[in-house]
Amino acid sequence: MMLSHKRHAYKSRVNLLVAVVIFLLLDGAMFALNFVITLHVDEQSSAINLAGRQRMLTQRIGKSLLQLGDENYQLEWSFHRTTAADSYALFTSTLSAFNTGGRVLDAELQEVVLHPVPNGQAQALVQDALDLIKPLSGQLTTALAGPHDSSTYRQLAMQWSEVSEDLLADMNALVVLLEEYSGLQTQRLREIQGLLFLIATGNFFYIVLIFRRQHRAAERTIVALESVLTNVSTPMLIADGRGRVLQANMAAQSRFELEAELCVGVNWHTLVDRRDGVDHLAAPGGRSYPIQLDIQELEFDMERFQIISLFDISHYIEREAELSQIAQRDPLTGLLNRRALQDHLELEISRAKRSKAPMALMFIDLDKFKEINDEHGHEAGDAALVHITRSLSRHIRESDVLMRVGGDEFVLIAPDHQGLSSIEAQASKLVEVMHRPFDYNGTSLSLGGSIGVAIYPATTEDPQQLIALADGAMYKAKQKGSGYLLAQSEESA
């Protein structure tokens, strides 16, 4: 009988040890999976940003080809040839990396690794883009490498214009697919994480069951349970059947500042409030943490207990906000970028319909920016862009929205104007502001700018046409030397 009892006790201890090891391994696996999710989000955000950059490169190539074919830009042909060649090389290398995988340069000229796009639909979009530019590849490479021929560039610009709409559509669809794929993969990883947690919870219940079976060694088993909860990396609270906190493990105390003497005896529901669909833990120190709760109930020695696991999701929320900012913000100036243009324009048009007040859309292109870049370097060019951003921002209204949509191109959405004279006064003021010199490392530098203005609803009521007309008016103003130019209405055109 004694031998049988000892064997039973030994078996129980072995079972307990195995269960504790499994629990710790599962906890480690969940920690590792968090790391994998972070890497996945970073990798996918790079792919999404590069796919979005393809749209900008498509437009940049078309613009450079147009200017290479325009005799009025003869002094800038070298710059536009370099721009077209660099943009086309970056565009094709990125497409190739999306197709077969490889290394490409990101916006900060750092090499990043791209894996082939993940599914058949995305692969078809990449292949379609490759097929669209294939007929132009040889001609474009030869033209950019050989002597200047304006007629050849005009023909290439026309051919590029014919495929650019399909290229833009392909790249827009690719961005959407990559965002959907990223969300789906992240969701799957989180589901695996949840499954691991359920297994760990079941294993934890098995530990509790062993404790109950070892009733004669209850004190020792309780100590072992407390040791597991203390050392596990997942923050946990243990509460009685009425929700009063009995213990906060070390992870909860260190991660969420839950000092045992302040939270023990408090109903854990008073520590948690739900805002915007997310649970927040209000720590005694006054700080609030976004969390995901998992609550498990168990019965031990005829008493009911709750195990509340607290998963900090601050990183995911911050990362989602960061990705949103990355997607819609220009990193140099902090302004909204081209990706945000359509949404903001449609929003302001809907407001203008209700208010009946004219809204101006101004396309702004800097003058002498290339000369500053060539003579003083890219750092001076960046300083010029920051200077113009600050100068324009000081002379627009609070309701206006200033964006950087290209290398030296800006867009201003200016709602709630009193009339045409108010719009012209603002455009004239902005032209004057852009011509003011600024100091760069002791050197006085001068810029300038041309503005194309389209007015809703006087010029057109269609958002895309409004953009096209403002852009066209800007180029006409630039051809005249500087200043601003009002776009003709659809009826006048």
Side-chain angles (χ1 to χ4, degrees):
M1 180 69 73
M2 181 65 73
L3 182 59
S4 174
H5 175 74
K6 287 183 177 180
R7 287 177 177 173
H8 179 73
Y10 176 78
K11 183 179 179 180
S12 295
R13 286 195 295 272
V14 170
N15 288 343
L16 176 60
L17 178 60
V18 171
V20 170
V21 170
I22 292 174
F23 184 87
L24 293 175
L25 288 174
L26 289 169
D27 184 72
M30 287 188 286
F31 179 82
L33 195 57
N34 276 334
F35 180 74
V36 171
I37 291 174
T38 300
L39 288 179
H40 170 76
V41 171
D42 288 341
E43 181 179 288
Q44 291 302 312
S45 65
S46 294
I48 292 168
N49 287 337
L50 290 173
R53 185 182 67 181
Q54 292 293 85
R55 301 176 299 190
M56 179 269 289
L57 291 174
T58 300
Q59 295 169 328
R60 182 183 292 174
I61 293 167
K63 177 182 175 182
S64 296
L65 291 175
L66 282 172
Q67 292 173 331
L68 285 168
D70 191 338
E71 299 294 336
N72 294 322
Y73 290 90
Q74 186 171 357
L75 295 177
E76 299 178 7
W77 279 348
S78 177
F79 169 76
H80 292 302
R81 180 195 294 261
T82 301
T83 299
D86 291 346
S87 299
Y88 184 71
L90 192 56
F91 183 85
T92 55
S93 65
T94 304
L95 268 186
S96 177
F98 275 129
N99 189 37
T100 59
R103 294 178 179 271
V104 294
L105 296 178
D106 63 11
E108 299 176 358
L109 300 181
Q110 299 294 319
E111 274 196 347
V112 295
V113 177
L114 271 183
H115 298 291
V117 288
N119 57 49
Q121 191 174 359
Q123 291 167 1
L125 289 171
V126 173
Q127 188 59 52
D128 183 59
L130 287 169
D131 292 340
L132 285 170
I133 65 173
K134 185 176 180 180
L136 291 173
S137 180
Q139 299 176 55
L140 190 56
T141 303
T142 301
L144 292 173
H148 188 92
D149 185 345
S150 296
S151 63
T152 298
Y153 283 119
R154 284 193 292 272
Q155 182 180 0
L156 286 171
M158 184 179 301
Q159 293 174 318
W160 186 266
S161 175
E162 292 173 356
V163 301
S164 62
E165 183 174 352
D166 290 335
L167 284 174
L168 289 172
D170 285 344
M171 294 303 100
N172 285 332
L174 182 59
V175 169
V176 172
L177 285 175
L178 289 176
E179 288 175 340
E180 291 175 352
Y181 173 77
S182 176
L184 181 61
Q185 290 298 100
T186 302
Q187 180 63 33
R188 287 176 179 172
L189 289 172
R190 288 180 178 173
E191 289 172 357
I192 294 173
Q193 185 183 43
L195 179 60
L196 286 175
F197 177 76
L198 289 177
I199 296 173
T201 303
N203 188 70
F204 179 79
F205 289 159
Y206 180 63
I207 294 173
V208 174
L209 180 61
I210 294 176
F211 284 162
R212 186 172 183 180
R213 289 175 178 174
Q214 292 180 313
H215 183 68
R216 293 183 181 180
E219 183 175 354
R220 295 177 61 186
T221 55
I222 290 174
V223 170
L225 175 60
E226 289 179 347
S227 176
V228 171
L229 293 172
T230 298
N231 293 291
V232 74
S233 62
T234 301
M236 289 183 177
L237 300 177
I238 299 184
D240 61 20
R242 289 178 289 181
R244 292 180 302 182
V245 177
L246 302 176
Q247 182 181 349
N249 71 350
M250 290 300 297
Q253 293 181 48
S254 61
R255 180 68 188 86
F256 298 117
E257 306 172 349
L258 291 174
E259 299 179 12
E261 58 270 19
L262 295 178
C263 65
V264 170
V266 175
N267 192 302
W268 70 265
H269 292 90
T270 63
L271 301 175
V272 178
D273 67 294
R274 192 167 184 83
R275 302 193 303 270
D276 300 326
V278 178
D279 289 318
H280 288 74
L281 176 68
R287 186 173 176 182
S288 178
Y289 298 86
I291 59 170
Q292 180 179 336
L293 290 172
D294 188 272
I295 305 164
Q296 301 293 335
E297 294 190 355
L298 60 91
E299 187 174 312
F300 186 77
D301 281 349
M302 305 301 292
E303 292 188 33
R304 298 186 66 81
F305 296 89
Q306 294 177 328
I307 300 177
I308 304 100
S309 298
L310 312 170
F311 294 96
D312 187 358
I313 59 174
S314 300
H315 175 76
Y316 299 125
I317 292 177
E318 291 170 0
R319 190 59 180 163
E320 288 174 1
E322 183 180 331
L323 286 175
S324 177
Q325 287 294 318
I326 290 174
Q328 295 200 358
R329 288 282 175 185
D330 171 41
L332 176 63
T333 62
L335 297 176
L336 293 168
N337 60 24
R338 182 176 291 275
R339 188 173 184 180
L341 174 59
Q342 188 68 31
D343 290 342
H344 279 267
L345 182 59
E346 290 178 356
L347 176 64
E348 293 301 338
I349 285 177
S350 65
R351 290 175 177 171
K353 285 181 179 178
R354 294 193 298 269
S355 66
K356 307 299 183 183
M359 182 206 74
L361 178 67
M362 303 187 187
F363 265 57
I364 304 169
D365 189 89
L366 301 183
D367 298 333
K368 302 180 182 178
F369 178 72
K370 175 183 177 299
E371 288 83 348
I372 290 177
N373 254 336
D374 291 344
E375 294 178 16
H376 303 280
H378 291 294
E379 290 185 359
D382 289 347
L385 291 172
V386 173
H387 161 73
I388 283 295
T389 298
R390 292 173 178 171
S391 299
L392 293 177
S393 298
R394 285 194 295 267
H395 292 86
I396 61 176
R397 304 164 304 164
E398 186 176 350
S399 60
D400 296 343
V401 180
L402 182 64
M403 305 176 180
R404 182 188 175 200
V405 298
D408 58 351
E409 293 183 349
F410 295 78
V411 166
L412 179 68
I413 301 176
D416 300 323
H417 271 285
Q418 297 300 315
L420 180 60
S421 60
S422 171
I423 294 171
E424 289 188 303
Q426 184 179 33
S428 178
K429 181 64 177 178
L430 295 181
V431 171
E432 184 268 326
V433 166
M434 288 189 289
H435 279 80
R436 295 176 184 175
F438 71 99
D439 178 77
Y440 174 72
N441 292 339
T443 301
S444 179
L445 301 178
S446 295
L447 284 165
S450 304
I451 301 178
V453 185
I455 304 171
Y456 175 90
T459 306
T460 181
E461 297 185 9
D462 179 69
Q464 294 301 324
Q465 189 68 11
L466 200 68
I467 292 173
L469 291 172
D471 193 29
M474 180 267 290
Y475 279 111
K476 291 179 181 178
K478 195 171 185 69
Q479 288 172 354
K480 291 182 178 181
S482 188
Y484 72 90
L485 184 67
L486 298 178
Q488 291 184 325
S489 66
E490 292 177 308
E491 290 79 4
S492 300

